[in-house]
Amino acid sequence: MLPIIVEMGVPESWRKAVLRFASELGELFGDRPIRVIALPHPEDEVYESNVLVVLRGAAQEDVMRVMEVAVGVDERLNPLVVDEEDEEAVRMFLRAVPPAGGMWDEAEG
């Protein structure tokens, strides 16, 4: 399981939108959301999306419901919804996020 990381260096409005979006998904879908992975800035994209929603048992009607939540929270949210079996999408989103360490990584080497 991944740790919970809230990156405080991203634009505040984006951070708040992502947190609210994740909270509303939890309210709507109960225990079905597994992960919400947001890129650092709304302009960043992977697969033409800036947020990945991993949903247990994702179905086409779920995609529409997630999109409705996104539009209601912040028009900059452009989620990609995948089933928990889609490891490649998760890997692509995680690779797109630069390491948080920065100068710490250099000190270790």
Side-chain angles (χ1 to χ4, degrees), residues 52-88:
L52 177 67
V53 176
V54 181
L55 197 61
R56 186 174 290 112
Q60 187 61 37
E61 59 269 10
D62 295 328
V63 174
M64 295 307 299
R65 294 171 71 195
V66 169
M67 294 302 290
E68 289 170 2
V69 172
V71 169
V73 170
D74 189 311
E75 64 186 27
R76 298 174 298 171
L77 289 162
N78 184 18
L80 171 64
V81 181
V82 299
D83 187 73
E84 62 188 316
E85 303 297 322
D86 193 340
E87 291 182 33
E88 183 61 25

Side-chain angles (χ1 to χ4, degrees), residues 20-65:
R20 181 174 162 214
F21 177 62
S23 177
E24 290 192 19
L25 289 177
E27 290 176 21
L28 179 63
F29 290 105
D31 66 347
R32 291 183 57 214
I34 296 171
R35 285 191 182 92
V36 175
I37 302 172
L39 299 177
H41 300 279
E43 300 82 20
D44 297 339
E45 291 186 340
V46 171
Y47 299 134
E48 299 180 12
S49 298
N50 54 19
V51 179
L52 177 67
V53 176
V54 181
L55 197 61
R56 186 174 290 112
Q60 187 61 37
E61 59 269 10
D62 295 328
V63 174
M64 295 307 299
R65 294 171 71 195

Side-chain angles (χ1 to χ4, degrees), residues 10-20 42 73-74 76-77:
V10 302
E12 181 180 13
S13 64
W14 178 241
R15 182 179 70 245
K16 287 181 176 182
V18 170
L19 291 172
R20 181 174 162 214
V73 170
D74 189 311
R76 298 174 298 171
L77 289 162

